[in-house]
Amino acid sequence: MQDFRVIADELAAAVAGGRLRPGDRLPPQRRFAREHGIAGSTAARVYGELIRRGLAVGEIGRGTFIRAAPPSTEPLLSEPATARIDLELNFPMLPDQPELLAKSLAGLLRTDALGAALRPVGAEGTPAAREAAAALLRTREWALEPRNILCAGSGRQALAAAIAALVPAGRRLGVEELTYPVVKSIASRLGVELVPLPVDESGVLPSAVRTAGIDAIYVQPTLHNPLGITMSAARRSELADLLQRLDLVAIEDHVNGFLAADAVPPLAAAAPNHTVFVDSLSKRIAPGLTLGFVVAPAHLTARLGAALRSGAWSAGGFALDAAVRWIGDGTADTIQDRKRADARARQHLAGERLRGFGVQADVRSYHCWWSLPEPWRADTFVAAAARHGIAVSPAAAFAVTPGRAPNAVRLALASPPFDQLARALETLAQIARGLPEDAGVE
């Protein structure tokens, strides 16, 4: 029997060589199996492998299309391509941001300072980095202790360390039923089972947490990705009480939270002994600065530090020293404030261009959730957008349960220049007003 991966490699080569183009529809699996002389189950594995690699989108039995993203073994983790309009990944970067950042680095480039910055650093980072992180993250209601902060190479690595430290292989992690795709990938690699937890307009339902039989939970209480909802203060208080009663630990992902300066205090403020708080500088400051921070209860810092070290997920000294300078001289605050204004402007643009459609968003965030009109399905809409050189994310990328994704797409608004974003949104609106057969993706 032919190895399905060999066939998948052949199709990947066809994509790389341009013989299969974004938006092209693959034949139904039964026909594909007949044409290749393979079993139907093997054809299903081939299509599943293409989806896993990020080369195709769709649901088995409904249609599979070549996606807009370039070949990758990590869906939704690749860098944005320059030949497309990227509404799939959020990389907020202000036009004059390099100039702002460069001013703070002059001192770091002195021989003595650079020599110190290039030395290895452990999971604890440096005292200066912990103090700077505490100053950046603390709120009036949450006075976190610098000694409880650990430093990771990125927010993704911080999440991986937290999951590895809290959930043994073969055990269960509760997550919102639509969740950050990277967490799905991390859990798969660590052998952790994800348990989908229902949400409403106030966030994850505590009743579901109570009965899920899980070892920990992962939540995005502020500007949830992809739904954009922010957990209410009452729901946070209810969830915090539940965590304490169950002696359960929550991993709180706050990477988008900086955009909501007026949001309610983090879950970690309500349940400091039962929350591992994760944040990153990739969106706050720059995509290339992937420095991550983990704020852990004192009784968990050793376990989390061990996970960071064993995974080689500790931060680099140069990134830490650069962050200390940017935070200390106010550059980080300046960039954050301007990004908050930029996000609101982009949301306003999206509201104008997509008026009348079922778009759900928080005006403070860099993404929106679009429930598509009939007769569009997420897979065909993604394919139609790809034919116009626009990459968007289907709901299936965020769904924990396969085959249970809503008929929706997420639009990431941060990456394209403003005028390009305006044109892309107008194009998507025109596509949605038409029919799939008009777009050639019936």
Side-chain angles (χ1 to χ4, degrees):
M1 179 169 53
Q2 190 169 5
D3 190 333
F4 73 95
R5 285 165 294 197
V6 173
I7 303 175
D9 287 343
E10 293 173 353
L11 293 174
V15 173
R19 297 185 299 278
L20 284 175
R21 300 178 59 81
D24 285 350
R25 185 173 187 171
L26 297 175
Q29 288 181 25
R30 289 183 181 178
R31 195 175 86 199
F32 184 88
R34 287 196 306 270
E35 292 173 351
H36 287 77
I38 58 177
S41 59
T42 303
R45 297 184 73 182
V46 170
Y47 281 33
E49 178 68 9
L50 292 176
I51 292 171
R52 188 193 71 79
R53 296 188 191 184
L55 293 171
V57 294
E59 296 182 12
I60 302 302
R62 297 182 62 191
T64 304
F65 299 86
I66 301 301
R67 71 183 295 177
S72 168
T73 58
E74 294 293 338
L76 295 178
L77 298 185
S78 59
E79 296 302 311
T82 56
R84 61 175 183 159
I85 301 176
D86 186 6
L87 303 188
E88 187 177 27
L89 304 175
N90 263 328
F91 290 98
M93 189 79 172
L94 303 172
D96 62 342
Q97 194 169 314
E99 181 181 350
L100 289 172
L101 296 172
K103 293 178 181 177
S104 301
L105 295 185
L108 184 55
L109 299 182
R110 294 196 321 267
T111 302
D112 56 340
L114 184 59
L118 295 179
R119 294 192 181 99
V121 179
E124 295 76 17
T126 63
R130 293 196 298 273
E131 290 286 348
L136 182 72
L137 302 177
R138 69 168 51 106
T139 67
R140 287 175 304 200
E141 301 84 0
W142 187 41
L144 65 160
E145 293 290 338
R147 65 174 179 270
N148 292 338
I149 296 177
L150 299 169
C151 301
S154 69
R156 294 169 179 172
Q157 292 177 346
L159 290 174
I163 295 171
L166 297 173
V167 188
R171 301 297 289 271
R172 292 155 57 91
L173 173 68
V175 298
E176 291 126 333
E177 55 192 349
L178 295 171
T179 194
Y180 180 33
V182 170
V183 168
K184 294 167 58 178
S185 176
I186 291 171
S188 176
R189 288 170 181 253
L190 294 176
V192 170
E193 179 186 355
L194 295 184
V195 179
L197 303 174
V199 301
D200 62 13
E201 65 279 359
S202 294
V204 68
L205 297 177
S207 59
V209 176
R210 188 181 302 112
T211 58
I214 53 181
D215 294 86
I217 63 171
Y218 163 81
V219 290
Q220 304 169 79
T222 306
L223 300 183
H224 176 274
N225 176 23
L227 297 177
I229 60 177
T230 291
M231 188 181 293
S232 66
R235 180 64 54 82
R236 293 183 196 223
S237 178
E238 186 180 359
L239 182 58
D241 290 342
L242 182 62
L243 294 174
Q244 293 167 17
R245 289 202 306 273
L246 298 179
D247 195 21
L248 191 69
V249 177
I251 302 169
E252 178 178 12
D253 186 342
H254 194 71
V255 69
N256 291 308
F258 78 96
L259 292 167
D262 54 346
V264 293
L267 181 63
N273 292 323
H274 290 83
T275 305
V276 172
F277 179 94
V278 173
D279 207 334
S280 165
L281 297 188
S282 60
K283 289 183 170 49
R284 283 177 179 264
I285 297 183
L289 185 70
T290 59
L291 192 63
F293 298 114
V294 181
V295 184
H299 67 282
L300 291 177
T301 53
R303 193 192 309 180
L304 283 157
L308 285 168
R309 287 187 289 272
S310 66
W313 294 324
S314 299
F318 187 87
L320 287 172
D321 280 10
V324 167
R325 291 170 182 268
W326 288 326
I327 294 169
D329 68 7
T331 300
D333 285 338
T334 297
I335 291 173
Q336 287 181 161
D337 288 344
R338 290 180 55 186
K339 284 186 176 179
R340 289 166 186 148
D342 181 56
R344 286 179 178 271
R346 289 170 183 262
Q347 283 289 355
H348 180 72
L349 177 65
E352 288 184 333
R353 293 295 191 272
L354 303 179
R355 183 176 290 116
F357 292 107
V359 176
Q360 172 182 323
D362 188 303
V363 296
R364 302 167 293 183
S365 75
Y366 268 124
H367 63 271
C368 57
W369 184 247
W370 187 357
S371 296
L372 296 169
E374 293 290 344
W376 283 100
R377 302 192 309 270
D379 50 1
T380 51
F381 189 82
V382 170
R387 286 182 176 272
H388 290 267
I390 304 170
V392 301
S393 300
F398 305 90
V400 177
T401 305
R404 295 289 300 273
N407 192 38
V409 295
R410 190 205 68 169
L411 306 182
L413 308 177
S415 297
F418 202 84
D419 58 344
Q420 191 180 77
L421 175 63
R423 292 194 300 270
L425 291 171
E426 183 59 38
T427 298
L428 294 178
Q430 291 175 1
I431 294 172
R433 292 188 187 103
L435 298 173
E437 52 265 35
D438 298 333
V441 292
E442 183 181 3

